[in-house]
Amino acid sequence: GAVVSQHPSWVICKSGTSVKIECRSLDFQATTMFWYRQFPKQSLMLMATSNEGSKATYEQGVEKDKFLINHASLTLSTLTVTSAHPEDSSFYICSAQTSGVKAQYFGPGTRLLVL
Amino acid sequence: KQEVTQIPAALSVPEGENLVLNCSFTDSAIYNLQWFRQDPGKGLTSLLLIQSSQREQTSGRLNASLDKSSGRSTLYIAASQPGDSATYLCAVLIQGAQKLVFGQGTRLTINP
């Protein structure tokens, strides 16, 4: 089956620093990738849609200057949390969409803790 | 606006039982419907995808059906096992859209 990886799986950082999370589709090409965040015991919340070679589309209420998304290749998208604060602590999950049937496959998630 | 509803919100059954999870959606103009499971602290695992032209898909002990005209999908789990315990999510991809619309999930517990 289609596999999506994320790196790192967890990260602890100090307030004010930036953190980059990578999302890779390992065995398929994905023109479209998605970034979600999930707070404990809550549903997934879509943050942005990332299309290869173009600017990401952010959901309402998501600060594009704080959550920088780059989708430079058909297998890699990155999310950078800039000047992270404790309220940014969350579980970040990416997904990649196949062409044709447009199935979405999710990465294992990245747990971010900002101290 | 597409809305996806999953019933029940939580379900607890003894091991070995067959069970059905329900998903309904308000707009029948869908491209596909996917069922996922999420284990605590993990990402989502894709279980089955049904394209809009299909009626059902099967994988092992899982069978998903789709009735687009009535806006319903069911996930049937046969001979449930404790390892099936997880939150099950259904999500639809609307025609012409890119993002999935998720239901709130059904939290399933299989008791040994």
Side-chain angles (χ1 to χ4, degrees):
Chain A
V3 180
V4 176
S5 70
Q6 276 184 247
H7 178 80
S9 56
W10 59 271
V11 59
I12 301 174
C13 69
K14 292 182 179 179
S15 186
T17 60
S18 294
V19 175
K20 180 186 281 189
I21 303 170
E22 292 186 349
C23 176
R24 294 181 185 271
S25 55
L26 299 185
D27 50 2
F28 66 99
Q29 294 184 328
T31 54
T32 306
M33 291 184 171
F34 303 84
W35 287 96
Y36 298 82
R37 66 190 293 182
Q38 186 176 38
F39 293 105
K41 298 190 186 300
Q42 293 189 21
S43 303
L44 285 175
M45 185 189 80
L46 179 65
M47 298 175 67
T49 301
S50 167
N51 290 295
E52 187 265 338
S54 63
K55 289 184 179 180
T57 302
Y58 291 81
E59 295 299 300
Q60 191 171 9
V62 178
E63 300 175 58
K64 62 180 181 181
D65 294 330
K66 180 166 185 62
F67 299 100
L68 300 179
I69 291 172
N70 184 277
H71 192 162
S73 79
L74 289 172
T75 59
L76 172 65
S77 176
T78 60
L79 169 68
T80 301
V81 184
T82 62
S83 186
H85 291 285
E87 57 266 30
D88 299 323
S89 298
S90 189
F91 190 50
Y92 292 87
I93 310 176
C94 72
S95 70
Q97 188 177 70
T98 65
S99 58
V101 298
K102 297 186 180 180
Q104 275 199 34
Y105 294 95
F106 284 76
T110 297
R111 192 163 302 281
L112 170 64
L113 177 60
V114 184
L115 301 176
Chain B
K1 180 187 171 187
Q2 178 73 272
E3 292 182 0
V4 180
T5 304
Q6 290 186 246
I7 295 173
L11 181 64
S12 180
V13 300
E15 180 178 5
E17 283 202 1
N18 303 323
L19 56 99
V20 174
L21 306 181
N22 296 292
C23 172
S24 62
F25 47 94
T26 54
D27 187 343
S28 62
I30 65 170
Y31 191 87
N32 64 39
L33 182 146
Q34 274 187 273
W35 281 94
F36 300 91
R37 68 175 278 171
Q38 184 176 28
D39 295 278
K42 307 287 185 183
L44 275 64
T45 300
S46 179
L47 298 173
L48 290 164
L49 178 145
I50 311 178
Q51 296 182 62
S52 62
S53 59
Q54 298 174 325
R55 286 274 186 173
E56 66 177 344
Q57 285 288 332
T58 298
S59 175
R61 295 182 292 108
L62 305 180
N63 175 278
S65 67
L66 174 65
D67 184 341
K68 224 172 52 165
S69 61
S70 67
R72 296 186 182 198
S73 176
T74 61
L75 179 67
Y76 175 82
I77 302 177
S80 58
Q81 303 170 358
D84 295 331
S85 298
T87 296
Y88 288 78
L89 297 156
C90 79
V92 299
L93 181 64
I94 305 169
Q95 291 274 6
Q98 287 187 309
K99 58 186 180 182
L100 290 173
V101 179
F102 282 89
Q104 291 293 99
T106 293
R107 190 170 68 254
L108 176 65
T109 303
I110 307 298
N111 301 303

